[in-house]
Amino acid sequence: MSAPNGTTLSHEEILRYSRHLLIPEVGLEGQKKLKEASVLVIGTGGLGSPVSLYLAAAGVGHIGLVDYDVVDASNLQRQVIHGMSGLGTLKVESARRRMLDLNPDIDVQVFNEPFTSANAFEIARDYDLLIDGTDNFPTRYLVNDVCVLLGKTNVYGSIFRFDGQVSVFDAQRGPCYRCLFPEPPPPGLVPSCAEGGVLGVLPGTIGTLQATEALKLILGIGTPLIGKLMLYNALDQSFEFVKLKKNPKCKVCGPNATVTELIDYEAFCGVPGHDHEEGSAGAQWDIDARGLAERLARAPRPRLLDVREPHELEISKIEGADLIPLGQLAGRLSELDSAEELVVFCKGGTRSARALELLVSAGLTSTTAVSLYGFGELSCSLSAVHRILATASSADGTSRVSGMRRSGMPSESLKPMIA
């Protein structure tokens, strides 16, 4: 990537980037390249936070941010670009303020909207490269296909618990994401970080590596991770590299590609393309807090089924509920009675929705799925839940059910990660 002859650095910029200018591989011309470069960061969460901060600090002149979520307290454990002062504000605006505070000489454009097939080309077209900081498969495949079809480079990263992956996908010089993962995993196989968790520092490690790859690509130095997948494990501080080959049968970058335009990626992956923690089983099965309170008040009382993991009981639990983790449910159906009414719950509704599908397919058609919103932050007895449910009609009644995303058992290191 070459810098235009007319690009200059001010005296203040020369002082700011002095440590870069001392590096022979960067120097004045390299810093000019950074100033002229444009990078689109998709997602301003765990991965997008360190990526955006280090690109801004390095002097990348034009940075685009795509996100449509708001800053929540649960983000702050890992999304270091945001702070307490930004709670409840748009993530893209929170990130933009922090980046301009770090480096007021850059331009930051924000897109407060989901990255979808309808707007992806328009948003991405004018950027030199894209950095994937997403946490769901539909958007991940969309980012890949946009890059292939527009001839752009995709700097990929993903995280889960203690493991991370990084690669650079450039279909003109090597494989694309679909070459590695031609099809998405079955719905329910890979849990999200909201359900499986992530070590707070891990996004910093992986996001910083993504930013490093982006700077190398802009400067034209070093060897980018094209044709290689880097696997990182925080527990033993190990880095492994897997060689990747271009798939001649790839549906998007192969010689006989069948994907020549953007598709419906939610239908392709079988899961919604959003990054919220809440889930839903659909209007036919969902009940709200008032409905649950009514069912608990009448005889016979429904059986409460908790499909979270055992260690989550240390955070919060409802006395009287039976625990059968989602991953064990298929093998323990004999413990359930198809004649009794079941109320299935988890932390946010995603796993209860997945459990409901399994139960209904097994013939337990009287089953009802319910999500107690915010349950994961509560430590309460069943009587306390009754009091919570009783407030459902008030302005502070926050028990509810909402929008579906499936989950399942943790992936192996070579399987795609959700975030």
Side-chain angles (χ1 to χ4, degrees):
M1 188 176 297
S2 61
N5 294 329
T7 301
T8 61
L9 298 179
S10 67
H11 176 68
E12 290 75 15
E13 288 176 311
I14 290 176
L15 289 176
R16 174 184 287 271
Y17 305 124
S18 61
R19 300 304 187 272
H20 269 178
L21 303 183
L22 294 172
I23 304 174
E25 292 84 355
V26 181
L28 188 62
E29 288 305 307
Q31 195 61 51
K32 290 179 180 180
K33 291 180 182 180
L34 294 174
K35 185 173 182 177
E36 285 298 316
S38 57
V39 177
L40 183 65
V41 181
I42 304 170
T44 56
L47 294 173
S49 288
V51 166
S52 300
L53 287 172
Y54 275 107
L55 293 184
V60 174
H62 309 279
I63 303 173
L65 304 176
V66 184
D67 207 317
Y68 66 103
D69 204 357
V70 297
V71 181
D72 182 81
S74 65
N75 302 147
L76 304 184
Q77 166 251 13
R78 65 201 177 281
Q79 300 180 17
V80 295
I81 202 168
H82 309 296
M84 291 294 293
S85 63
L87 292 179
T89 65
L90 296 174
K91 283 188 175 181
V92 288
E93 293 295 346
S94 170
R96 181 177 184 273
R97 284 193 297 271
R98 178 68 183 93
M99 293 164 67
L100 292 178
D101 180 59
L102 180 64
N103 189 347
D105 296 325
I106 63 173
D107 170 64
V108 181
Q109 185 175 8
V110 299
F111 302 90
N112 178 39
E113 54 189 304
F115 194 67
T116 68
S117 298
N119 62 16
F121 280 153
E122 181 180 357
I123 292 176
R125 196 178 305 276
D126 295 330
Y127 289 90
D128 299 324
L129 60 90
L130 278 64
I131 299 185
D132 183 354
T134 63
D135 70 348
N136 63 82
F137 289 112
T139 311
R140 183 155 295 154
Y141 279 94
L142 169 61
V143 171
N144 176 80
D145 292 0
V146 166
C147 287
V148 173
L149 297 175
L150 291 181
K152 297 184 183 295
T153 304
N154 172 16
V155 182
Y156 158 80
S158 63
I159 52 176
F160 180 72
R161 292 184 176 168
F162 302 101
D163 295 298
Q165 301 176 355
V166 181
S167 188
V168 174
F169 297 114
D170 187 333
Q172 300 176 80
R173 294 188 281 173
C176 75
Y177 181 76
R178 281 187 187 250
C179 292
L180 178 60
F181 303 117
E183 301 291 334
L189 178 64
V190 183
S192 69
C193 288
E195 293 162 346
V198 62
L199 185 66
V201 73
L202 182 64
T205 304
I206 300 302
T208 302
L209 289 168
Q210 286 181 276
T212 303
E213 289 299 302
L215 295 179
K216 287 163 53 183
L217 290 165
I218 294 169
L219 294 168
I221 62 175
T223 304
L225 286 173
I226 296 175
K228 291 186 290 185
L229 177 67
M230 190 207 75
L231 306 176
Y232 170 73
N233 179 269
L235 291 180
D236 57 15
Q237 291 288 19
S238 64
F239 288 87
E240 298 180 42
F241 295 86
V242 178
K243 291 184 178 180
L244 307 177
K245 294 184 178 180
K246 199 172 183 67
N247 182 0
K249 297 182 179 180
C250 179
K251 294 181 180 180
V252 69
C253 77
N256 300 309
T258 57
V259 178
T260 57
E261 60 184 17
L262 302 182
I263 62 174
D264 184 338
Y265 292 90
E266 292 189 348
F268 174 63
C269 296
V271 292
H274 60 80
D275 60 358
H276 297 295
E277 296 186 16
E278 299 87 7
S280 173
Q284 180 183 359
W285 299 101
D286 288 343
I287 63 173
D288 58 16
R290 181 176 294 277
L292 177 57
E294 293 173 352
R295 296 187 189 211
L296 290 172
R298 68 175 184 242
R301 292 167 57 88
R303 181 177 179 182
L304 299 178
L305 182 61
D306 186 345
V307 294
R308 299 175 300 151
E309 294 300 311
H311 67 270
E312 293 180 78
L313 296 182
E314 298 177 3
I315 304 171
S316 57
K317 64 180 178 179
I318 301 177
E319 297 298 336
D322 295 318
L323 176 67
I324 302 182
L326 177 61
Q328 301 178 17
L329 188 57
R332 297 176 60 180
L333 292 176
S334 60
E335 300 177 27
L336 305 177
D337 186 349
S338 61
E340 68 180 343
E341 182 179 22
L342 295 176
V343 173
V344 187
F345 68 92
C346 59
K347 176 180 181 286
T350 302
R351 283 170 286 182
S352 60
R354 183 71 182 95
L356 176 64
E357 293 181 348
L358 176 61
L359 294 172
V360 171
S361 67
L364 284 85
T365 54
S366 65
T367 303
T368 302
V370 64
S371 164
L372 298 181
Y373 180 71
F375 176 76
E377 286 72 45
L378 297 174
S379 177
C380 52
S381 65
L382 187 56
S383 61
V385 171
H386 285 185
R387 292 194 298 272
I388 295 168
L389 297 174
T391 68
S393 61
S394 70
D396 295 326
T398 54
S399 294
R400 64 180 178 89
V401 182
S402 61
M404 178 147 134
R405 183 174 63 191
R406 296 180 175 92
S407 66
M409 299 303 292
S411 61
E412 298 172 3
S413 61
L414 286 179
K415 292 182 179 179
M417 295 179 183
I418 190 70

